[in-house]
């Protein structure tokens, strides 16, 4: 995983940060026993996913590699080890 830089993009960081904030909101309102706040936090969690996908669609996510290139990289790793 380390060689692929999986998740090291602005889209991933932004989506996860927003989802984490929603998780914290939801958790706080769960402890405070306020159901509306809990559900609002879950909406923020879902919003994090939507924002991450929108940023990826806008070109801020990881670029897709051609299958031939992925296979060539895997073969090169096998030969070097």
């Amino acid at each position: 995983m380390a060689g692929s830089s999986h998740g090291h993009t602005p889209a991933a960081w932004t989506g996860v940060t927003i989802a984490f904030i929603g998780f914290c909101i939801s958790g706080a309102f769960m402890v405070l026993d306020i159901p509306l706040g809990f559900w609002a936090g879950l909406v923020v969690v879902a919003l994090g996913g939507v924002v991450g996908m929108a940023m990826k669609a806008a070109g801020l996510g990881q670029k897709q590699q051609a299958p031939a290139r992925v296979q060539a990289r895997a073969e090169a790793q096998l030969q070097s080890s």
Side-chain angles (χ1 to χ4, degrees):
M1 264 308 162
S4 68
S5 73
H6 175 75
H8 298 282
T9 63
W13 281 100
T14 304
V16 169
T17 301
I18 293 171
F20 179 71
I21 291 169
F23 172 78
C24 292
I25 291 169
S26 204
F29 280 109
M30 181 185 290
V31 171
L32 294 171
D33 195 25
I34 303 174
L36 185 60
F38 169 78
W39 291 108
L42 289 183
V43 168
V44 174
V45 170
L47 182 66
V50 171
V51 168
M53 286 190 284
M55 289 180 69
K56 182 178 177 184
L60 296 173
Q62 188 170 357
K63 306 288 187 266
Q64 295 293 327
Q65 295 182 359
R69 186 172 185 179
V70 172
Q71 183 179 2
R73 180 175 289 147
E75 290 173 1
Q77 282 183 326
L78 288 175
Q79 290 176 356
S80 67
S81 57

